[in-house]
Amino acid sequence: MQGRILTPAEATDIFIAQTRRWFMIFGSIGLVLMIGIVIAGAVGEPNSTLVFILFALVMSGALVLFMAWILHRRVRVFSGKLERRCEGLMPVGTVLGIDAAALSVGPETYAWPMLALDTVALSSGSVASGETSTPILIVERLSVTARGKTFVLDRAMTENGMLLVDNAWRRLRAATPR
């Protein structure tokens, strides 16, 4: 699996595309629910069909405005963190690769036993599981050392960053004595 270090503009574009994809999924679910409500209302109260349609249109507009506001806010927060996320990264365009044997950074390859975790940056979230929620930690950024060099792997600033950072974390964590 390979990736490369992104420019801040590329990272922001990818972030916006991912957020829009999620919004399209949630918006589609909302649209299907509103159509179902309009159909159920029209069947149950045929005289009020126009009211149900107007209500669905108003709610659709409100949902679109709300999601646009959230997107704008999320992009502003993401952009505010970009300067900090760029600290310590390899130059833009540096190709990173991970396989079973090694981590490749540009033209250099480092076997997993040669690498050590320096720092790990985590974010927290939760996943709903029935009536409760399970807290989860997400590895956002790794600092890895090898032969006196330090490499920073950041999931937002790297193409395929989620896969690269998670796989590097799993391999390095398994190799680290407890």
Side-chain angles (χ1 to χ4, degrees), residues 99-161:
D99 59 23
L103 166 69
S104 298
V105 179
E108 300 180 40
T109 301
Y110 302 93
W112 291 113
M114 296 172 58
L115 299 169
L117 281 172
D118 188 26
T119 58
V120 179
L122 303 169
S123 64
S124 62
S126 63
V127 176
S129 54
E131 294 179 13
T132 63
S133 64
T134 304
I136 61 170
L137 293 174
I138 300 165
V139 180
E140 294 289 336
R141 188 173 170 100
L142 292 176
S143 181
V144 179
T145 58
R147 292 189 215 142
K149 296 181 181 178
T150 300
F151 306 103
V152 175
L153 307 174
D154 189 295
R155 77 190 288 130
M157 296 301 297
T158 308
E159 182 180 49
N160 295 324

Side-chain angles (χ1 to χ4, degrees), residues 52-99:
F52 285 109
I53 291 172
L54 289 175
F55 177 75
L57 290 173
V58 167
M59 291 307 295
S60 296
L63 181 63
V64 166
L65 288 174
F66 180 67
M67 288 206 271
W69 176 74
I70 289 177
L71 176 64
H72 177 72
R73 183 179 179 283
R74 287 181 51 100
V75 169
R76 192 176 68 239
V77 168
F78 182 81
S79 296
K81 293 179 180 179
L82 275 178
E83 186 176 323
R84 184 176 48 89
R85 291 196 92 124
C86 290
E87 291 175 3
L89 285 177
M90 287 76 64
V92 170
T94 302
V95 176
L96 304 171
I98 290 181
D99 59 23

Side-chain angles (χ1 to χ4, degrees), residues 1 98 155 159-170:
M1 141 184 21
I98 290 181
R155 77 190 288 130
E159 182 180 49
N160 295 324
M162 182 174 17
L163 294 172
L164 287 168
V165 171
D166 287 347
N167 281 309
W169 163 249
R170 285 188 185 103

